[in-house]
């Protein structure tokens, strides 16, 4: 197909991001931090203003902290710390069957943040603007194709929906974050797998007046009338979900405009359906909460949407086009996963694109995006199908124990904390060889996210959350758990490796300054630009008893990245014996790639050589 435009405008960029929902915004804010030349377009004239996704999970909050964006969302959200389950007992009465914490895994954010999607998008958009980028609106992707241009091989035709003018974007990579009905997927003609039946849900943000005891907990309430979920929003409001019955769906489908023509006025079917949805929700609250009351004082937003669990066959064309977010997987809203999984798709992809574009990582590594994220999406669909089946069906009302069991087993998945990627080029498969106690609270595990901790920054005695010291700038992190070994031959071997020509600290970015300049999530330091990997040293001795200058080279050059682990808590929680220590390689997206002992430095180099581009200067001087 020969593409033609009616405009002379022609934009050339490294990456074109199509769609500015949560996944697209995450792609854009991270590409901006990584220094990638990109543009982001969206066919809507403005951001989401009401409703949509409303729950941010702990793992997403951890990532947002490394982007210095967690606080911006926290200001507008509500911490949902507990969940309650209600059902009908043997006497036919409504009662609480369980109440407990929303999050059972160790994390700095043991809650779901209930925050409107418009606030999430606003925070990401403002961050983008502060870095000199804007979303091109309202710009619609019409088509794209590969060309013979070796520098910018993808040619995309787009249209401004205000002026109808068309133009070209030429790019090296295209990221389709254009949601359900994705043009990107349609052009690629990627097959999709989906469930056979659609579920239709009503969702509303409201001011709810109720004496229901758990109105400020996330509550799942099932009765003979159906099921509802109540979520406490910020400012005392609530979000309520309920699934429509076949009868209610039939009544809504039977509506047409002709029924509502009145003298001098015509009310559209959409308006009447919104009123019908309100009445359904009003009745459902009354019936499900009885003997408690639940009166809607004000509707802030109401909508219905059809959900068919589905997933596309491939999340990329195995070349230069990638699909993220709702464009590649759809599911119900009950587990508060859509926004979170979508944003993490982008977070997984963009650091890989950045390092490939910078010539520091081999292009083949981009295949891991499809493998890793499709695995997670498939797990989500399987969980969501089972959870939705039990949650919404009246015939399962006598099985509250099974419903709760499904929920409890999914804690690690729903929070994002327990997700684990399978071994691949970027994830080692050496758990049986690592010096880690797997029975600890949060053991270091390849393929899982690196567990955050709090420590004392050695140079100034400041207690810091390690996430605030680990900004998302597209670098790998080499973390040394030294414990009590600072004066041992084992630690001397580790330091000798770090200072050698084979060290990963300098191997993939020769010529950079040896000393690490102070840096955190709020302050990037240009001195550190160009580094592929940074270093953290954690020990269990008093920071007053150890002189930084007395540490073996090159550690004094990393004086801003030395920490004291008070009472050895991080070592213990992460399964590291302080008398033995461990070395951990963490990917730029926060996942553990490799765990080895303090004398395993060359193992780290050999592992990274599998996917990194080693400059000739490094290969001519060493391994």
């Amino acid at each position: 197909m020969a593409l033609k435009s009616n405009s002379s405008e022609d934009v050339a960029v490294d990456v074109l991001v199509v769609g500015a929902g949560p996944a697209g915004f995450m792609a854009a804010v991270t590409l901006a931090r990584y220094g990638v030349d990109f543009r982001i377009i969206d066919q809507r004239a403005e951001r989401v203003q009401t409703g949509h996704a409303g729950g941010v999970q702990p793992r997403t909050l951890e990532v947002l902290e490394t982007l210095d964006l967690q606080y911006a969302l926290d200001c507008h959200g509500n911490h949902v710390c507990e969940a309650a389950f209600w059902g009908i007992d043997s006497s036919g009465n409504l009662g609480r069957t369980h109440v407990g914490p929303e999050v059972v895994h160790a994390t700095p954010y043991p809650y779901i943040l209930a925050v409107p999607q418009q606030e999430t998008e606003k925070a990401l958009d403002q961050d983008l603007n502060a870095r000199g980028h804007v979303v091109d609106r309202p710009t619609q992707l019409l088509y794209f194709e590969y060309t013979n241009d070796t520098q910018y091989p993808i040619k995309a035709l787009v249209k401004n929906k205000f002026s109808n003018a068309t133009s070209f974007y030429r790019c090296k990579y295209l990221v389709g974050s254009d949601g359900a009905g994705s043009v990107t997927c349609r052009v690629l003609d990627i097959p999709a797998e989906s469930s056979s039946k659609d579920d239709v849900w009503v969702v509303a943000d409201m001011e709810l007046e109720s004496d229901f005891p758990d109105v400020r907990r996330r509550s799942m309430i099932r009765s003979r009338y159906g099921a509802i979920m109540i979520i406490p929003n910020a400012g005392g409001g609530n979000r309520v979900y309920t699934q429509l019955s076949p009868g209610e769906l039939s009544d809504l489908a039977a509506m047409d405009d002709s029924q509502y023509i009145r003298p001098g006025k015509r009310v559209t079917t959409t308006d009447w359906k919104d009123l019908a949805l309100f009445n359904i929700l009003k009745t459902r609250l009354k019936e499900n909460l009885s003997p408690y009351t639940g009166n809607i004082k004000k509707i802030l937003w109401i909508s219905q949407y059809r959900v068919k669990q589905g997933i596309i066959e491939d999340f990329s064309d195995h070349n230069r086009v990638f699909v993220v977010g709702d464009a590649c997987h759809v599911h119900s809203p009950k587990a508060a996963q859509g926004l979170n999984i979508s944003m993490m798709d982008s977070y997984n992809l963009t650091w890989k694109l950045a390092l490939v574009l910078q010539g520091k990582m081999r292009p083949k590594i981009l295949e891991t995006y499809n493998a890793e994220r499709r695995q997670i999406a498939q797990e989500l669909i399987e969980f969501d199908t089972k959870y939705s089946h039990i949650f919404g069906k009246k015939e399962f009302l006598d099985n509250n124990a099974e419903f709760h069991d499904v929920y409890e087993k999914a804690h690690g998945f729903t929070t994002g904390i327990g997700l684990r990627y399978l071994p691949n080029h970027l994830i080692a498969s050496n758990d049986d060889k690592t010096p880690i106690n797997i029975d600890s609270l949060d053991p270091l595990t390849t393929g899982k996210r690196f567990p955050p901790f709090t420590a004392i920054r050695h140079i100034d005695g400041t207690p810091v959350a390690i996430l605030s010291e680990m900004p998302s700038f597209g670098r790998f992190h080499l973390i040394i758990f030294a414990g009590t070994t600072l004066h041992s031959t084992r630690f001397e071997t580790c330091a000798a490796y770090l200072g050698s020509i084979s060290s990963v600290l300098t191997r993939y970015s020769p010529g950079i300054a040896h000393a690490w300049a102070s840096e955190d999530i709020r302050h990037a330091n240009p001195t550190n630009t160009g580094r592929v990997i940074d270093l953290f040293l954690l020990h269990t001795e008093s920071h007053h008893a150890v002189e930084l200058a007395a540490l073996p080279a090159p550690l004094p050059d990393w004086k801003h990245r030395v920490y004291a682990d008070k009472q050895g808590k991080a070592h213990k929680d992460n399964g590291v014996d302080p008398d033995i220590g461990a070395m951990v390689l963490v990917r730029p997206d926060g996942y553990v790639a490799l765990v080895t002992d303090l004398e395993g430095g060359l193992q780290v180099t050999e592992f990274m050589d599998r996917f990194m581009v080693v400059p000739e200067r490094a290969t001519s001087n060493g391994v």
Side-chain angles (χ1 to χ4, degrees):
M1 176 179 178
L3 299 183
K4 296 182 179 180
S5 78
N6 57 21
S7 169
S8 61
E9 183 181 0
D10 188 1
V11 179
V13 292
D14 285 347
V15 179
L16 175 62
V17 180
V18 180
F25 270 123
M26 176 59 84
V29 298
T30 49
L31 289 171
R33 280 166 171 76
Y34 305 155
V36 173
D37 180 26
F38 75 95
R39 294 284 284 270
I40 177 171
I41 64 174
D42 192 275
Q43 64 177 340
R44 297 169 298 179
E46 61 181 5
R47 295 190 308 263
V48 163
Q49 298 299 310
T50 56
H52 295 77
V56 184
Q57 295 283 356
R59 175 56 190 158
T60 309
L61 292 172
E62 291 177 0
V63 169
L64 290 170
E65 173 65 12
T66 69
L67 295 166
D68 194 25
L69 289 171
Q70 188 274 333
Y71 179 74
L73 269 64
D74 200 75
C75 292
H76 300 282
N78 178 53
H79 294 188
V80 183
C81 297
E82 290 191 329
F85 294 78
W86 289 70
I88 302 300
D89 62 22
S90 57
S91 301
N93 299 316
L94 179 68
R96 185 192 290 133
T97 61
H98 174 80
V99 63
E102 277 283 7
V103 180
V104 298
H105 292 77
T107 173
Y109 308 105
Y111 53 83
I112 296 174
L113 182 66
V115 60
Q117 183 172 321
Q118 66 262 30
E119 296 297 341
T120 302
E121 291 192 8
K122 179 181 178 182
L124 295 167
D125 199 13
Q126 289 178 340
D127 181 81
L128 204 57
N129 297 161
R131 297 174 187 277
H133 299 275
V134 296
V135 179
D136 292 344
R137 299 181 185 273
T139 302
Q140 178 184 14
L141 174 67
L142 299 177
Y143 193 79
F144 63 85
E145 64 183 10
Y146 284 97
T147 71
N148 293 325
D149 186 336
T150 56
Q151 186 174 9
Y152 298 101
I154 299 173
K155 188 176 185 179
L157 178 65
V158 304
K159 181 180 78 171
N160 183 290
K161 295 181 71 175
F162 281 163
S163 67
N164 289 324
T166 58
S167 57
F168 290 127
Y169 280 76
R170 294 183 296 118
C171 57
K172 298 175 182 177
Y173 293 96
L174 187 147
V175 177
S177 53
D178 42 351
S182 165
V183 174
T184 308
C185 289
R186 188 165 69 245
V187 173
L188 293 178
D189 194 25
I190 300 177
E193 306 166 8
S194 63
S195 61
S196 59
K197 185 178 182 299
D198 293 359
D199 289 333
V200 181
W201 287 77
V202 179
V203 56
D205 289 328
M206 65 180 67
E207 293 178 9
L208 179 65
E209 188 175 65
S210 177
D211 60 355
F212 179 64
D214 289 333
V215 73
R216 296 308 294 170
R217 292 185 174 97
R218 185 163 75 105
S219 298
M220 286 135 288
I221 307 153
R222 300 189 304 156
S223 78
R224 65 182 63 88
Y225 303 105
I228 61 173
M229 180 185 293
I230 299 177
I231 299 172
N233 285 342
N238 288 89
R239 171 166 286 195
V240 179
Y241 291 95
T242 191
Q243 187 171 338
L244 295 178
S245 69
E248 290 163 341
L249 285 172
S250 296
D251 291 343
L252 287 170
M255 290 182 174
D256 64 78
D257 286 352
S258 63
Q259 300 177 55
Y260 308 110
I261 299 174
R262 298 292 181 267
K265 187 175 182 180
R266 181 183 180 91
V267 182
T268 66
T269 307
T270 301
D271 294 329
W272 281 99
K273 284 187 176 180
D274 287 344
L275 179 59
L277 293 176
F278 169 77
N279 288 328
I280 290 170
L281 202 54
K282 182 179 177 181
T283 301
R284 193 68 53 81
L285 280 166
K286 181 180 179 180
E287 292 173 339
N288 276 57
L289 294 183
S290 179
Y292 304 103
T293 60
N295 300 314
I296 300 174
K297 293 175 62 179
K298 183 179 181 181
I299 289 288
L300 305 175
W301 171 73
I302 189 168
S303 183
Q304 64 166 313
Y305 54 97
R306 189 174 299 272
V307 174
K308 176 184 284 189
Q309 284 103 345
I311 182 172
I312 63 174
E313 190 173 281
D314 284 297
F315 286 15
S316 74
D317 68 344
H318 301 278
N319 193 359
R320 292 175 174 269
V321 181
F322 302 87
V323 187
V324 297
D326 288 350
C328 48
H329 45 73
V330 291
H331 38 83
S332 82
K334 291 179 291 299
Q337 289 299 293
L339 174 145
N340 297 274
I341 294 289
S342 295
M343 292 176 73
M344 294 304 98
D345 285 346
S346 296
Y347 193 60
N348 176 286
L349 172 64
T350 53
W351 68 269
K352 299 170 184 176
L353 284 174
L355 288 177
V356 168
L357 284 164
Q358 293 161 9
K360 296 176 180 177
M361 197 161 68
R362 298 173 189 172
K364 70 175 183 179
I365 221 64
L366 296 175
E367 286 291 330
T368 63
Y369 166 72
N370 186 70
E372 291 178 343
R373 295 311 297 177
R374 197 181 188 286
Q375 168 208 330
I376 299 302
Q378 187 63 55
E379 291 173 6
L380 168 61
I381 297 299
E382 292 170 0
F383 161 73
D384 186 61
T385 300
K386 186 173 184 179
Y387 188 65
S388 298
H389 187 53
I390 297 176
F391 177 81
K393 308 301 180 184
K394 295 178 185 179
E395 58 265 31
F396 289 101
L397 291 177
D398 61 345
N399 206 349
N400 288 312
E402 181 184 356
F403 177 51
H404 176 248
D405 185 56
V406 170
Y407 174 81
E408 285 294 315
K409 288 179 178 178
H411 264 298
F413 183 84
T414 56
T415 60
I417 293 172
L419 300 182
R420 185 178 185 184
Y421 295 137
L422 299 176
N424 59 48
H425 290 297
L426 292 168
I427 300 291
S429 55
N430 63 340
D431 281 358
D432 57 332
K433 302 176 183 178
T434 59
I436 300 300
N437 177 11
I438 61 173
D439 295 322
S440 60
L441 177 66
D442 206 354
L444 295 167
T445 306
T446 56
K448 295 184 72 173
R449 82 36 160 138
F450 179 73
F453 56 80
T454 300
I456 304 296
R457 191 164 54 207
H458 198 120
I459 197 168
D460 57 9
T462 302
V464 294
I466 202 65
L467 288 176
S468 66
E469 303 277 288
M470 198 177 283
S472 288
F473 289 154
R475 300 190 193 101
F476 285 84
H477 312 292
L478 187 62
I479 302 171
I480 311 298
F481 283 80
T484 62
T485 70
L486 291 181
H487 306 289
S488 70
T489 55
R490 184 182 294 112
F491 185 71
E492 288 176 359
T493 301
C494 176
Y497 161 75
L498 295 174
S500 73
I501 59 175
S502 299
S503 170
V504 293
L505 294 180
T506 54
R507 182 172 178 80
Y508 312 110
S509 45
I512 60 173
H514 286 291
W516 172 264
S518 178
E519 187 174 84
D520 58 26
I521 58 172
R522 294 177 179 86
H523 306 99
N525 198 310
T527 303
N528 300 326
T529 300
R531 286 189 182 272
V532 172
I533 186 167
D534 53 24
L535 178 70
F536 293 79
L537 171 63
L538 185 70
H539 63 79
T540 56
E541 299 189 29
S542 166
H543 65 287
H544 294 137
V546 177
E547 291 294 334
L548 290 173
L551 292 172
L555 294 167
D557 288 337
W558 294 85
K559 60 186 179 182
H560 297 288
R561 285 290 180 83
V562 180
Y563 305 86
D565 181 15
K566 193 174 182 179
Q567 298 178 335
K569 186 178 186 307
H571 283 70
K572 179 181 178 181
D573 289 350
N574 296 161
V576 180
D577 185 335
D579 294 329
I580 297 175
M583 188 182 304
V584 186
L585 179 66
V586 179
R587 306 188 329 180
D589 59 355
Y591 280 80
V592 176
L594 175 71
V595 183
T596 185
D597 57 39
L598 292 180
E599 297 173 306
L602 288 179
Q603 183 182 349
V604 179
T605 299
E606 291 167 1
F607 175 75
M608 292 193 71
D609 276 357
R610 289 163 39 182
F611 53 84
M612 298 301 295
V613 174
V614 184
E616 291 185 9
R617 177 177 170 182
T619 56
S620 62
N621 291 330
V623 176

